[in-house]
Amino acid sequence: MQKDISCGHLDRKRLEVHSVRCNIELSQPRTATATPGGTFSITCKVSGYSVTDSSYATAWIRQPAGKTLEWITHRWGGGSLYQKESLKNKFGIFTDASSNSVTFKGQSVQTEDSAVYYCARRPQ
């Protein structure tokens, strides 16, 4: 029996990513690098929904090697913002409606910030 879920749904309580075939696409570069104490920026190009649609949020999560997923931040299409308290001074999220994209920026990054970073859509 197939579980009926939204495209790109991430179960925040369990921090599990569920993938299903859909018309939503979030694309981002394969790599971004930074030196300790430096900055980095990753832009996620969205298609299949609008970053200004208040029914959805675009989120950034990360997974350090050998560890579980960690939710960092998300911004709802209406503008509301959630940020993990312990990381809010290190990472920011910026929406660009004209290019339908969301940019994630990090500052003063350290080796412990090394991880795979993902953008994801979160439904209401």
Side-chain angles (χ1 to χ4, degrees), residues 42-82:
I42 309 170
T43 297
C44 179
K45 177 72 176 131
V46 174
S47 64
Y49 74 97
S50 172
V51 296
T52 61
D53 184 340
S54 60
S55 298
Y56 303 104
T58 305
W60 286 93
I61 57 177
R62 69 179 175 183
Q63 186 170 27
K67 296 187 179 179
T68 60
L69 292 168
E70 178 180 28
W71 197 276
I72 301 170
T73 186
H74 65 262
R75 183 178 299 277
W76 290 98
S80 297
L81 175 67
Y82 164 83

